[in-house]
Amino acid sequence: MNYIVFDLEWNQCPYGKEQENERIPFEIIEIGAVKLDSDKKIIDEYHTLIQPRVYKKLHFRTQEIIRLDMKALEKGTAFYKAIREFLKWCGEDYWFCTWGNTDLLELQRNMKYYGVLQLLKGPVAFLDVQKLFSLDYEDGDSRKSLEYAVDFLQIEKKREFHRAFDDAWYTAKVLEKIHDDIADTFFSVDCYQYPEKKEEEIKVVYPGYEKYITREFPSREDIMADKNVTASRCFLCEKNVRKKIRWFASGQKNYYCLAYCPHHGWLKGKIRMKKTDHGSVFAVKTMKLTDEQEAQIIRDKKEEIKRKRREKRRQEKR
């Protein structure tokens, strides 16, 4: 199995958000990638410029960052051809690797715009090297810049930053420094292409928490009525546990619960709703081991929501 470490550069509407094409707010103009073998050693390289079709003028920030002009890009390859070439270069057996989760999202959004999304079946499992760096060398929650990681790991700066191939090369060098137990365990799942059927739903158990990605439902209410979604289960002993605080809404997108396993302690549940392009909804649910302090935060959150609702009702009666 190989690792495909890639980076993208993209352009956005130079005339402001009002004139933006909502289907493709960021148009890819450059793909850079390196291929690593199973020992994370570089064995091949890929680079191409993409001919713009949506935004024919560079946004001033894009031009400032990547130091390219439109004349160079106009000589590039059409995206629908470049993506086929890139995926052929990737081969059959590989993991995508990126710095952060945005590049994979925008790659798929551009593919959908050009009608070639079927070439990359999702949901896509990948390695978020930014997250892995934080888990391996920092607190697991912070998200630092690529240049910060390069400096931290004392990787020699042989290239500039903010061009697709150069950033892919540096990301690959950071990945080489990630310990195998971290890289092999904490892979990510991109949900731009969400599960459509029950048998396609995804459940992954990581150290300390479980993630469940549902199929699409007509509405949030339908998701919360599904017992498989709202069940509380300890992912360590695989037994159903009693909720101490039942699922409650916090805003339009998030639901929380609190449960207790007699063998493994407190579990914090979170359901995050995500809308699809055609108005349906799917959910990403996590059940995470937590402590008494975090459990109290959940209790306080629910009480605060109840207090605000009571206050709103009093205001409406006046």
Side-chain angles (χ1 to χ4, degrees), residues 85-146:
E85 180 185 83
F86 174 58
L87 292 176
K88 183 178 180 180
W89 174 83
C90 289
E92 297 293 330
D93 188 17
Y94 62 88
W95 280 89
F96 272 143
C97 311
T98 60
W99 188 262
N101 56 16
T102 309
D103 287 79
L104 190 52
L105 165 65
E106 296 306 332
L107 181 70
Q108 292 173 93
R109 182 148 46 192
N110 277 246
M111 289 178 71
K112 183 175 182 179
Y113 180 83
Y114 285 103
V116 292
L117 187 56
Q118 72 278 3
L119 298 177
L120 182 61
K121 182 175 174 55
V124 181
F126 71 107
L127 300 185
D128 180 345
V129 183
Q130 184 185 48
K131 180 181 78 172
L132 297 178
F133 170 76
S134 182
L135 288 166
D136 205 358
Y137 292 99
E138 298 205 310
D139 59 6
D141 295 320
S142 62
R143 296 293 182 264
K144 298 295 179 58
S145 70
L146 177 57

Side-chain angles (χ1 to χ4, degrees), residues 15 18 32 54 74 76 107 170 172 193 195 201 251 259 287:
Y15 308 111
E18 301 78 22
V54 181
E74 286 172 350
L107 181 70
Y170 279 122
Q193 298 182 70
E201 292 183 332
M287 293 296 294

Side-chain angles (χ1 to χ4, degrees), residues 17 21 68 131 147 159 167-169 204 237 265:
K17 201 163 181 67
N21 187 322
L68 273 174
K131 180 181 78 172
E147 189 168 6
R159 304 170 182 271
D167 284 359
W169 188 87
V204 185
C237 60

